Amino acid sequence: MTDPTNKAEPLLSARGISKSFAGVEVLRDVDLDLMPGEIHALLGENGAGKSTFAKIVAGVHRPTRGTLRLNAETVDIPSPLAAQRLGITLIHQEPISFPDLSVAENLVLGRGSGSPLSRVPWAEIIGDARRLIDLLGVRIDVTRPMRGLSIADQQMVEIARALASDSRLIIMDEPTAPLTPKEVETLFGIARRLRDEGRTIIFISHRLEEVRALCDRVTIFRDGSKIATEDIGNLTDADIIRLMIGRPLKEYMHRGKSHIGEVALKVEALSLPGYFENISFEVRKGEIVGLGGLVGAGRTDVARALFGVAPAASGIVWVNGKVVHITDPSQAIREGLAFVPEDRAVAGIFRTLSVEQNITAAVPRQIAPSGIIRRTIEKAMAHDSVRRLRIRLASLRQPIGELSGGNQQKAILARWLLTDPSVLILDEPTRGIDIGVKAEFYDMIGELAAAGRAILLISSELPELLALCDRVLVMSEGHLTADIPRADATQERIMSAAVPQFREAAA
Amino acid sequence: MSASEMPSAPSSQDAAPPRPTWQVVLVRPETMTFLLLIAGVFAGSQLSPFFLDVAYILRSFTLYSEFAIVALVLTMVIIAGEIDLSPAANMALSACIFAWMQQAGVPIPLAIGIGLLSGLAMGALNAIFVIGLQLPSIIVTIGTLTLYRGLAQVIAGDKSIRVPEWFIGIDKVMIGGIPLPVVAFILLAIVLGFVLSGTIFGRQIYQIGTNEVAARHAGIRTARIKTGLFLGIGLVAAIAGIVTASRLGSVRYDLGLGGELQMVLMAMLGGTYIFGGRGTILGTFLAAWLLVIVSTGMIVANVLPAVQLVVLGVLLIVSIVATNFIYSRTQR
């Protein structure tokens, strides 16, 4: 293996790359050099910024600030197509393709030669496609439709497409997650060959073993910043995990113990095939139970099942000692459940409607005992919520879409507090929220527990789970893999229960 | 990473300043409808001295009153994020069933009851497809529009079915000098205007139309409310059909042919947002008058029928463009 850092000229060099979505900074001043002929891993927690960085390089997102230089020339990458022209290809985890077209057609996609009316040169297309697939050393019939190919084969087709446009930089975003070990080996073999041909590969993965087996250098992201770039040989697994999670716990996240009472929510053997299996746990009054795990582990699906948005197929749920069969959110609300969903824009806010209406949406009976809205009651309730949660706004009649993300989230929380829930499920409540407002949320969550509510807190942020929760449950690939009491909870323990191959190694 | 790295970003938490009050009040689609209405009245009065005769305008409105009544309910359906293109066909089928029944000797009150029930059933069929089977309402109701019109033709053939003399002439019944169908339209507008703006039912219609997923998460029974709307528009369409039968004195399968476009035109001209979540009964109320003024104005001015159609088409497109423009400006 050659040492890529010895080569003088980087293929791609990023300087000061920053990205904000709707005013929230997700990537901050990232400098990174990618050498020709190296496989470079990007590591970090969910939301650390590694995928955002990769997507900026691939032209999916445009940086808010910063420059990209490709072969020492400053480039602007406005679209994935432009990236492809520059020789940069992003391989998606779940390949995006046209499932009803043949492999060969998918391979020549976007090539666009000749006039719109000229004949399609089928023989040439199929011949080219065969040659590309053969280059990879895999056996795929190029005349078959993409539908029906395994995910691994679909990825191969995407890689072949990258070769077709002679890409110098290939980005693989968690390519191995859906693959079997044997398919992973094939993929790695191809990746190594591409590297030996002098191409550069960015490899994004959660699986440390794979990174160690494949990559030459790693860059670790945390909270939108680049933390370190090192040769993989210079770092131990412990070093990597420490760099990924090692942020100091904030002062404000300390909270006093609340009185923990009887069981408010009990779940036994809850299953929804394809999403989660055999989930059992309980949450007591005054207790904050964290639910950690990687994105896609099934945490949100459990929450949605409990709240009746997408009910579970089997299992028993008790709320305050009573067996309930919740199949609809309105029923869940009657039983004393509340759910702050993960995706605020999709499932939370009514963007163009007033803040006031957004806050009172879940309590129609209170603002309109007889069906007719009592404006004074509604106004008083909304006003009171705004004051208590310190929601910053110009007017109660203002559309909620004009507020910042943190204040929108406060309004959604306010909506649920009006229902006076005994069980509150919070799904990533602080995602996309400024640091300062996060602190306020942590205080509020602590106060809610102290007031005797049972709280199930889904979060991908380990420090958040550690600082707030009395216990931390961890899910991985649809199963509950750990139930860690506060005293024993460490970031390492949560991570090792969350990351699939750690669990397999332990078992 | 040190604390000094924390960016001193401008406080993005501060809410944007609210729009000035005059903008909130004036920059709305209903204002545009109102101004067009005034312009229409002015233009009409220039064309003909008879135009400003209130009795004449009321008589003209009577011809559109059945569509206008249905358009009020349609406005609510559109605000909820759905659409119903079948009510004009529903009017024809309900009226045919009613006329056929009474001709076969069924007492008139019972025949009316059966006509109304069949309208309700047509609304229920739409609801089953749209809410039960989760199909897009535009496609479903284009289908049922054809189906209902076809059934009406099966029942009535291409003959007119006459209704008894005493049943004819609901449009000649005056209440305080205003024809009964117009009175009904005004009363319904007041009631539905209140329902939409002052009750939980109305509030939840806006919420469903703005974001159905969020509405479900907030415990709003979206399926129940939408079903109610489809049943409501089915029933109101049947009433409108029977009123039309009384006005015309006979029923043919082509009663109210093409009426769905007039209804959609009224809702759109009134500033109802085609993608749901926005719109008012006041807007549709004003737009109904605007449509009548423009149509009668053109008749008074002897504009060719073909040109009249062109003008209506242009009006519809202008109203959609203007509404979208206004909403996108205020949406941020």
Side-chain angles (χ1 to χ4, degrees), chain A residues 307 309 328-330 333-334 345-350 352-353 357 364 368 371 373 378 392 394 398 404 407 416 434 437, chain B residues 6-7 12-16 18 194 198-200 203-204 206-207 210-211 213-219 221 278 331-332:
Chain A
F307 200 63
V309 178
D328 189 85
S330 58
I333 294 168
R334 274 202 307 280
V346 170
I349 62 167
F350 303 106
T352 52
L353 300 182
Q357 272 204 45
I373 296 167
E378 175 174 38
R392 263 172 266 193
Q398 191 174 21
S404 71
N407 285 305
W416 290 113
D434 292 341
V437 185
Chain B
M6 287 317 301
S12 57
Q13 305 153 15
D14 288 338
F194 174 74
T199 69
I200 281 299
R203 170 73 63 86
Q204 294 188 335
Y206 282 105
Q207 289 170 338
T210 305
N211 186 343
V213 177
R216 246 175 74 67
H217 276 82
R221 294 197 183 82
R278 290 157 179 247
Q331 189 136 358
R332 302 221 189 169

Side-chain angles (χ1 to χ4, degrees), chain A residues 28-308:
Chain A
R28 179 166 43 236
D29 281 329
V30 172
D31 297 342
L32 185 60
D33 287 334
L34 295 167
M35 298 299 165
E38 72 164 333
I39 302 182
H40 195 119
L42 303 185
L43 284 171
E45 284 183 73
N46 296 328
K50 54 193 192 304
S51 283
T52 309
F53 178 77
K55 284 178 179 164
I56 285 174
V57 172
V60 178
H61 297 317
R62 301 189 76 166
T64 318
R65 273 181 286 119
T67 53
L68 288 171
R69 292 163 70 81
L70 188 68
N71 290 323
E73 257 177 68
T74 303
V75 290
D76 178 36
I77 310 175
S79 70
L81 192 62
Q84 193 136 41
R85 295 227 172 88
L86 292 168
I88 302 170
T89 303
L90 174 65
I91 313 277
H92 294 270
Q93 181 183 6
E94 305 279 338
I96 300 166
S97 60
F98 295 84
D100 291 313
L101 297 185
S102 71
V103 171
E105 284 167 293
N106 272 286
L107 276 175
V108 300
L109 218 74
R111 189 190 274 181
S113 57
S115 82
L117 292 178
S118 62
R119 289 191 36 164
V120 180
W122 287 113
E124 190 188 314
I125 287 174
I126 289 171
D128 283 1
R130 285 226 172 87
R131 205 168 36 74
L132 286 166
I133 294 287
D134 286 349
L135 272 180
L136 293 179
V138 289
R139 286 214 306 273
I140 299 173
D141 179 356
V142 298
T143 58
R144 274 180 54 191
M146 284 292 270
R147 195 191 295 284
L149 291 191
S150 70
I151 300 240
D153 283 350
Q154 291 184 34
Q155 280 184 356
M156 293 304 160
V157 174
E158 291 238 337
I159 295 172
R161 190 148 92 203
L163 297 182
S165 54
D166 196 27
S167 288
R168 309 300 303 160
L169 175 60
I170 298 169
I171 304 164
M172 300 184 180
D173 191 353
E174 302 211 31
T176 57
L179 303 187
T180 64
K182 198 157 167 290
E183 290 167 335
V184 169
E185 255 328 296
T186 314
L187 179 73
F188 282 9
I190 289 168
R192 291 195 188 96
R193 250 188 33 225
L194 296 175
R195 171 187 61 196
D196 296 343
E197 289 170 16
R199 299 179 210 270
T200 304
I201 294 175
I202 295 180
F203 183 80
I204 301 177
S205 177
H206 280 298
R207 302 185 178 175
L208 288 188
E209 294 164 9
E210 293 177 0
V211 168
R212 204 164 274 289
L214 182 66
C215 301
D216 305 312
R217 292 198 300 159
V218 294
T219 292
I220 292 159
F221 283 80
R222 187 206 307 151
D223 288 343
S225 298
K226 188 183 97 165
I227 299 302
T229 298
E230 277 290 343
D231 283 0
I232 187 78
N234 298 347
L235 294 174
T236 64
D237 281 4
D239 289 336
I240 293 175
I241 289 190
R242 186 177 47 76
L243 288 168
M244 277 165 67
I245 61 185
R247 97 193 90 178
L249 288 190
K250 301 277 193 298
E251 278 289 309
Y252 55 71
M253 290 174 74
H254 186 75
R255 74 176 182 94
K257 265 201 125 29
S258 55
H259 172 71
I260 293 181
E262 58 209 80
V263 176
L265 174 70
K266 183 165 186 236
V267 176
E268 201 170 286
L270 202 67
S271 297
L272 184 59
Y275 297 94
F276 52 83
E277 291 289 342
N278 200 17
I279 304 292
S280 304
F281 64 89
E282 55 182 49
V283 187
R284 291 170 174 272
K285 287 185 176 157
E287 192 181 29
I288 303 178
V289 173
L291 184 51
L294 302 173
V295 168
R299 299 170 300 165
T300 296
D301 301 298
V302 169
R304 283 159 54 91
L306 289 174
F307 200 63

Side-chain angles (χ1 to χ4, degrees), chain B residues 131-204:
Chain B
I131 294 129
L133 301 179
Q134 295 283 306
L135 298 170
S137 52
I138 184 150
I139 302 301
V140 167
T141 57
I142 285 178
T144 53
L145 130 76
T146 319
L147 172 71
Y148 299 160
R149 184 71 70 184
L151 285 175
Q153 196 169 4
V154 168
I155 288 174
D158 46 10
K159 294 188 298 289
S160 304
I161 307 176
R162 289 204 57 79
V163 296
E165 277 306 318
W166 66 265
F167 185 75
I168 300 174
I170 194 174
D171 56 317
K172 300 291 190 297
V173 179
M174 295 288 174
I175 293 176
I178 305 171
L180 182 55
V182 182
V183 174
F185 167 71
I186 295 171
L187 288 181
L188 188 66
I190 292 169
V191 170
L192 292 186
F194 174 74
V195 166
L196 201 50
S197 63
T199 69
I200 281 299
F201 180 68
R203 170 73 63 86
Q204 294 188 335

